[in-house]
Amino acid sequence: MTSTRPRMTAEERRRRLAVRHHLAPAARAATAEEVARSLTALHGTDPATVYLAVGARLADPAGPVAAMERALYEDRTLVRMHGMRHTVFVVPTDLAPVVQSSTTHAVAARERANLLKQLTAGSSLDGAWLADVEESTLAALARRGEATAAELAAEEPRLREQFVYAPGTAYETRQSVSTRLLRLLGTENRVVRARPLGSWTSSRFRWAIAPALPDLPPAEAQAALVRRWLEAYGPATEADLKWWTGWKVTDVRKALKAVEAVEVDLDDNTTGHVLPDDTSPTDPPAPWAAFLPALDPTPMGWQHRDWYLDPAHRPELFDRSGNIGPAIWWNGRVIGAWTQRPTGEPTWRLLTDPGREATSAIETEAARLHTWLNGTRITPRFRTPLERALSA
């Protein structure tokens, strides 16, 4: 039987990606906030990813560093927080309550239960002890304004206590209370990451007391997040959304229903979803190339990736956990990987011959990246086979 639903081709999806994700030169963004808003959230596990992802999409040739520093630490229009899949993201400040209520509250509840269980199993410490240390740590942080874990431990020495994680198993190791407690307080939106020590590539953050967020009904927050996500990533499958959010499939279906998502047919004979006013075709952008970082939000936006990635290239471009490395894109497809020489100059390898026009565009993008990086060297936190080979 012939389907009566709208059809969204892979070519239409690639056009949307180029325009909505600010990758085509004519679609580049004016501000870091515009990039974050258009992508819903910027993957922040690796601090450098946030800057590289924004830099690839900004029209300003000066790059993203000053813009991101201002947005994160001065204007606070962007915030770094735990979110989907218990992963750190940078999100627009106005979206933080939605992420917290739709997703992170549940993550925090599991994190607290796990910490209490592991603390009592691996030490003589207990819940009452932990509560007292929490109160003391938050008071110290409030006095200081911002502080590292080490600075907080100087005021509250009990943060240096350790416990045995997974005693009696192959995973047995010792963990510090400070690391786990600060992560827990972060998921509960009681503390927030402030400026890092060192440069913008550093993962050693100071901490500050988090501004209070309004509590939203979970179902309302989930619908709001799905609406924002479909604006950026639709059409997408139910499985894509479940993977990206980390929610139960029942919550995914309720949220899709709440936003009145429309079903569309995709080229691989699966069912995609778009917002009800989002079925019109996209005008084709001019040809474009991009150097996107490891864990960039675009390739990490969907679980099913064959429409932009040759399956034969996946083992070279992704690690075993499904994290993509630094990738070169041409007209909505991943065609290679990149890294940097010791001098900081980008170097790359293409996995297919895209032709002379693509080669010229790739060289132009490499020069643009090299200019704003200005000698800064980046090593991805999650290494992939082709990136390692290029770095050797």
Side-chain angles (χ1 to χ4, degrees):
M1 182 181 295
T2 303
S3 173
T4 60
R5 298 185 301 199
R7 185 166 195 84
M8 290 275 180
T9 65
E11 181 58 33
E12 169 63 19
R13 300 180 80 180
R14 290 189 286 268
R15 290 177 181 179
R16 288 178 170 223
L17 177 158
V19 174
R20 298 183 185 193
H21 291 202
H22 302 295
L23 293 171
R28 285 184 182 146
T31 66
E33 292 89 342
E34 185 183 355
V35 175
R37 170 64 175 78
S38 297
L39 291 166
T40 309
L42 304 173
H43 206 299
T45 302
D46 188 335
T49 291
V50 177
Y51 290 80
L52 291 164
V54 171
R57 296 167 168 90
L58 279 183
D60 187 349
V65 176
M68 287 298 299
E69 298 277 299
R70 173 190 52 74
L72 280 167
Y73 308 123
E74 296 172 20
D75 297 347
R76 305 215 179 255
T77 49
L78 299 177
V79 62
R80 186 178 273 106
M81 66 182 297
H82 280 271
M84 293 60 69
R85 305 188 310 281
H86 204 167
T87 298
V88 175
F89 287 88
V90 169
V91 305
T93 302
D94 70 314
L95 192 65
V98 169
V99 173
Q100 186 72 31
S101 295
S102 69
T103 307
T104 316
H105 278 331
V107 170
R110 292 194 297 270
E111 179 74 11
R112 179 168 288 279
N114 287 338
L115 178 55
L116 286 170
K117 180 179 178 181
Q118 293 159 9
L119 199 65
T120 54
S123 72
S124 60
L125 310 175
D126 59 18
W129 180 91
L130 183 65
D132 194 51
V133 174
E134 281 180 47
E135 184 179 347
S136 174
T137 299
L138 291 169
L141 188 55
R143 288 193 299 272
R144 297 183 67 102
E146 292 184 359
T148 64
E151 289 168 342
L152 289 171
E155 291 204 31
E156 174 43 270
R158 289 176 294 178
L159 286 170
R160 300 192 185 103
E161 291 282 352
Q162 294 187 333
F163 62 95
V164 179
Y165 172 80
T169 72
Y171 303 102
E172 180 175 319
T173 186
R174 297 192 69 82
Q175 293 190 354
S176 70
V177 168
S178 64
T179 300
R180 291 292 301 276
L181 178 58
L182 288 169
R183 185 171 72 182
L184 169 61
L185 295 174
T187 63
E188 293 178 338
N189 191 51
R190 299 166 75 189
V191 302
V192 66
R193 289 167 176 82
R195 284 187 183 273
L197 296 176
S199 77
W200 56 270
T201 64
S202 174
S203 59
R204 297 178 59 205
F205 289 97
R206 298 175 176 90
W207 295 90
I209 297 295
L213 296 177
D215 240 352
L216 305 176
E220 176 185 320
Q222 288 176 339
L225 186 60
V226 167
R227 186 176 293 106
R228 290 279 283 265
W229 185 81
L230 282 176
E231 288 175 359
Y233 298 94
T237 66
E238 185 181 279
D240 289 329
L241 181 53
K242 180 181 183 300
W243 176 81
W244 188 84
T245 58
W247 300 343
K248 297 176 183 177
V249 69
T250 52
D251 291 330
V252 168
R253 290 171 178 168
K254 288 176 183 176
L256 286 170
K257 183 178 180 180
V259 300
E260 300 180 335
V262 173
E263 292 185 344
V264 298
D265 291 327
L266 303 179
D267 278 356
D268 60 1
N269 297 317
T270 58
T271 298
H273 301 269
V274 295
L275 293 173
D277 59 351
D278 192 27
T279 58
S280 299
T282 303
D283 291 336
W288 60 276
F291 278 59
L292 298 189
L295 298 175
D296 185 83
T298 293
M300 296 299 288
W302 298 272
Q303 184 182 41
H304 298 292
R305 297 160 174 153
D306 292 357
W307 58 275
Y308 68 78
L309 173 70
D310 186 333
H313 298 158
R314 187 186 299 260
E316 295 184 87
L317 297 168
F318 285 76
D319 69 11
R320 293 180 179 178
S321 299
N323 300 307
I324 194 170
I328 294 177
W329 290 66
W330 172 243
N331 288 343
R333 298 178 186 269
V334 179
I335 63 166
W338 65 275
T339 187
Q340 291 172 279
R341 296 189 174 100
T343 59
E345 184 180 1
T347 184
W348 60 91
R349 183 182 302 169
L350 303 182
L351 299 173
T352 186
D353 181 3
R356 184 177 300 175
E357 182 182 28
T359 300
S360 176
I362 288 166
E363 290 172 352
T364 298
E365 282 305 296
R368 190 168 80 98
L369 174 66
H370 185 45
T371 297
W372 77 254
L373 279 174
N374 193 30
T376 301
R377 292 270 287 113
I378 308 294
T379 301
R381 178 173 294 186
F382 302 101
R383 310 293 298 276
T384 53
L386 186 49
E387 184 272 326
R388 284 184 181 275
L390 284 169
S391 299

